[in-house]
Amino acid sequence: MKLHATTTMALLLLFLLASSLQVSMAGSEFCDSKCAYRCSKASRHDDCLKYCGICCAECHCVPSGTAGNKDECPCYRDKTTGEGPRKRSKCP
């Protein structure tokens, strides 16, 4: 029984490690460096990097600074998570 629990925990840890590496390695050098700066002061750093990377890959731009300035990149500014009352900006 102990071996099964240990194996399960090891597989879970391996999955989590692989998932985090995939997010950090995804994207281009341009997006990775721009998003690293954009998210440097974010309280939810990992989420910020994830969504910034997605938006950068689709829009090929990231607004300057660590917040605001979204008018510099209309595609980035206009991406949303959905429609209706729960609609909000997708890109940090």
Side-chain angles (χ1 to χ4, degrees):
M1 188 68 166
K2 265 190 169 181
L3 182 60
H4 179 67
T6 304
T7 303
T8 302
M9 289 299 290
L11 289 173
L12 180 61
L13 183 60
L14 184 60
F15 173 77
L16 291 173
L17 180 61
S19 296
S20 68
L21 286 174
Q22 184 179 8
V23 168
S24 65
M25 292 171 59
S28 66
E29 189 174 320
F30 170 80
C31 289
D32 290 347
S33 64
K34 293 286 188 180
C35 289
Y37 181 71
R38 179 89 177 158
C39 296
S40 64
K41 295 182 180 180
S43 60
R44 297 177 67 185
H45 188 74
D46 291 339
D47 286 341
C48 183
L49 286 174
K50 176 183 174 181
Y51 290 108
C52 180
I54 291 169
C55 294
C56 179
E58 292 177 13
C59 297
H60 307 290
C61 65
V62 175
S64 62
T66 56
N69 304 321
K70 289 186 178 182
D71 287 336
E72 295 174 359
C73 184
C75 170
Y76 190 98
R77 176 195 64 213
D78 296 339
K79 290 225 167 284
T80 59
T81 58
E83 298 296 327
R86 298 191 57 132
K87 181 178 175 178
R88 49 178 207 240
S89 178
K90 181 177 186 176
C91 306

